[in-house]
Amino acid sequence: MEEISLFALGSNGSGQLGTGHTKDVNNAQQCYLINGLEHAGTWPSPIRMVKGGGNYTLVLLEDGSLFVSGDLRTNGTGSDAVAEFISVFNSVPNTVFDGKKIKLCSALWDTSVIVTEDDEIYTVGSDSKAERGMGQGVSGTFPKLNKFLPPGESIVDLASGLAHTIVVLSNGDVYGWGNGRKGQIGEPAGIVWKPRKIDGIYFKVVRAVCGREFSYLIGDPSNGHHTIIGSDKWNVRSTAPVAMPDWLDIGATWGTVFVLDQSGKLHAWGRNDHGQLGVASHPDQIKAIAAGSEHAVILTQNGAVAFSGWGEHGNCGSGTDPQGDVKEWSQHFSPNFAAKSFEILGIAAGCATSFVFAVGD
């Protein structure tokens, strides 16, 4: 019987890797979850996505269930855990979402955004810069945002940066909330306390990713229309290509944008002082890209995983230079790591954290 496993490396001072301890690691270790009274390493459903916040991690499964590990003092409320910090993944009971399954989630520094199957949005955590989108002075565990979707539309993508969130609708409209002082939530710039439509986008948006102070929006691969709104620090706006046709996936660190095209080539621009762009030079065809706060992870067509960027906490493996960086790229493991044969299904990256999900016998 095939088993679904999650492996992690990187910053772990709050137990955010879910490995059962609180030490940083530079070699991939298996993540564990609470299964009754036991710690299990096998997940009950395929992993849909992994989202890493400042000191916590969310894991969303294909069956619509959500798990959390790490610092729960602000963003993990609603879990079965009773401690402020947990070092294994705990289930978040769906009763806090009115019994509904979850289809999307995102993690800011210490705020979580959850979208359920019926397109309701729940938020929990810090709200100092409107990260929860509830309006000023609103409190409570996982309250719902007032529904702002036009009739008949649904949420197709959700992305968050350090302190702002972007939502993409099925009609191509884009909404955002949080810290928009650099224009990353459109104009006028400033703190946006409730979801606000971003005007002036000339194409139908289908995906979005967020940097620290910018939002990257992209349209259908057939035309490759894209735009960056917000800060141009690290020339992330001014050095962007005119178009990105035939794209397959996108990602963004706090200061870098990555676009993977359908041929397996990775395009990247923006901040590179820690070598964040290094994975774009990998000689193999690339299958997937994941971007953390200041590092990137790729999965090659051959099933290998490589890293570049700021890796001081071990999130880029053991191949860092004396400054804790991987300036080109460092290949960490192949499908045969951990003395077992795994098929790597996906990768994810958070704030100095990296994750690999795989299936094996």
Side-chain angles (χ1 to χ4, degrees):
M1 179 179 179
E2 291 188 328
E3 298 180 351
I4 301 163
S5 299
L6 181 65
F7 299 87
L9 61 163
S11 179
N12 197 34
S14 298
Q16 59 264 47
L17 297 184
T19 52
H21 59 81
T22 56
K23 296 180 180 179
D24 292 1
V25 293
N26 62 10
N27 286 293
Q29 294 188 5
Q30 189 161 15
C31 305
Y32 295 94
L33 64 153
I34 296 293
N35 184 5
L37 299 177
E38 302 293 330
H39 289 183
T42 302
W43 296 77
S45 172
I47 295 170
R48 180 178 299 173
M49 60 181 63
V50 179
K51 300 294 181 179
N55 292 293
Y56 74 102
T57 304
L58 301 174
V59 176
L60 176 60
L61 304 186
E62 289 289 356
D63 65 5
S65 59
L66 183 70
F67 291 77
V68 62
S69 186
D71 185 352
L72 305 186
R73 291 175 297 177
T74 57
N75 47 67
T77 310
S79 164
D80 290 329
V82 294
E84 293 182 344
F85 301 89
I86 54 173
S87 60
V88 295
F89 283 96
N90 281 237
S91 173
V92 179
N94 70 354
T95 53
V96 301
F97 311 116
D98 302 317
K100 294 174 287 190
K101 294 181 179 180
I102 299 164
K103 73 173 185 178
L104 296 168
C105 67
S106 67
L108 296 83
W109 182 258
D110 54 6
T111 307
S112 299
V113 181
I114 310 297
V115 178
T116 57
E117 57 189 346
D118 61 349
D119 295 301
E120 296 281 5
I121 300 175
Y122 297 74
T123 61
V124 65
S126 174
D127 200 33
S128 60
K129 293 183 176 64
E131 293 95 331
R132 296 179 67 179
M134 302 296 302
Q136 290 181 279
V138 177
S139 60
T141 302
F142 286 115
K144 285 191 294 187
L145 273 66
N146 291 327
K147 204 156 189 177
F148 57 89
L149 279 66
E153 302 299 337
S154 60
I155 297 172
V156 297
D157 201 19
L158 170 72
S160 294
L162 181 70
H164 77 288
T165 293
I166 296 293
V167 169
V168 181
L169 304 189
S170 52
N171 64 358
D173 288 346
V174 182
Y175 287 74
W177 65 86
N179 185 355
R181 288 174 174 166
K182 300 293 184 179
Q184 60 265 52
I185 315 175
E187 298 297 335
I191 300 295
V192 180
W193 286 97
K194 293 183 178 182
R196 183 182 74 183
K197 185 179 178 181
I198 299 175
D199 294 321
I201 308 300
Y202 67 94
F203 58 90
K204 179 181 178 181
V205 177
V206 298
R207 283 285 310 280
V209 288
C210 297
R212 183 185 179 105
E213 295 178 334
F214 67 86
S215 302
Y216 178 63
L217 314 174
I218 194 164
D220 192 273
S222 63
N223 54 55
H225 295 323
H226 67 158
T227 189
I228 299 176
I229 57 174
S231 172
D232 192 32
K233 191 174 182 180
W234 309 103
N235 299 315
V236 72
R237 289 176 57 190
S238 54
T239 59
V242 174
M244 271 291 140
D246 301 320
W247 63 272
L248 179 66
D249 199 6
I250 59 175
T253 70
W254 283 353
T256 308
V257 174
F258 297 92
V259 180
L260 176 62
D261 70 27
Q262 294 171 15
S263 73
K265 181 180 179 180
L266 185 62
H267 307 262
W269 64 92
R271 185 175 184 177
N272 195 37
D273 56 331
H274 295 286
Q276 292 94 322
L277 303 181
V279 287
S281 67
H282 198 286
D284 294 343
Q285 285 188 315
I286 297 171
K287 183 177 181 180
I289 172 71
S293 51
E294 293 296 358
H295 77 291
V297 187
I298 58 169
L299 172 63
T300 72
Q301 292 287 356
N302 295 327
V305 177
F307 307 83
S308 68
W310 180 61
E312 181 179 347
H313 291 279
N315 46 293
C316 291
S318 56
T320 55
D321 64 19
Q323 289 72 46
D325 297 332
V326 175
K327 291 291 176 61
E328 188 176 0
W329 53 267
S330 173
Q331 193 157 299
H332 187 60
F333 48 69
S334 71
N336 295 317
F337 72 99
K340 290 183 68 175
S341 180
F342 287 94
E343 177 189 357
I344 298 176
L345 301 178
I347 53 176
C351 296
T353 56
S354 301
F355 298 88
V356 175
F357 32 108
V359 61
D361 296 328

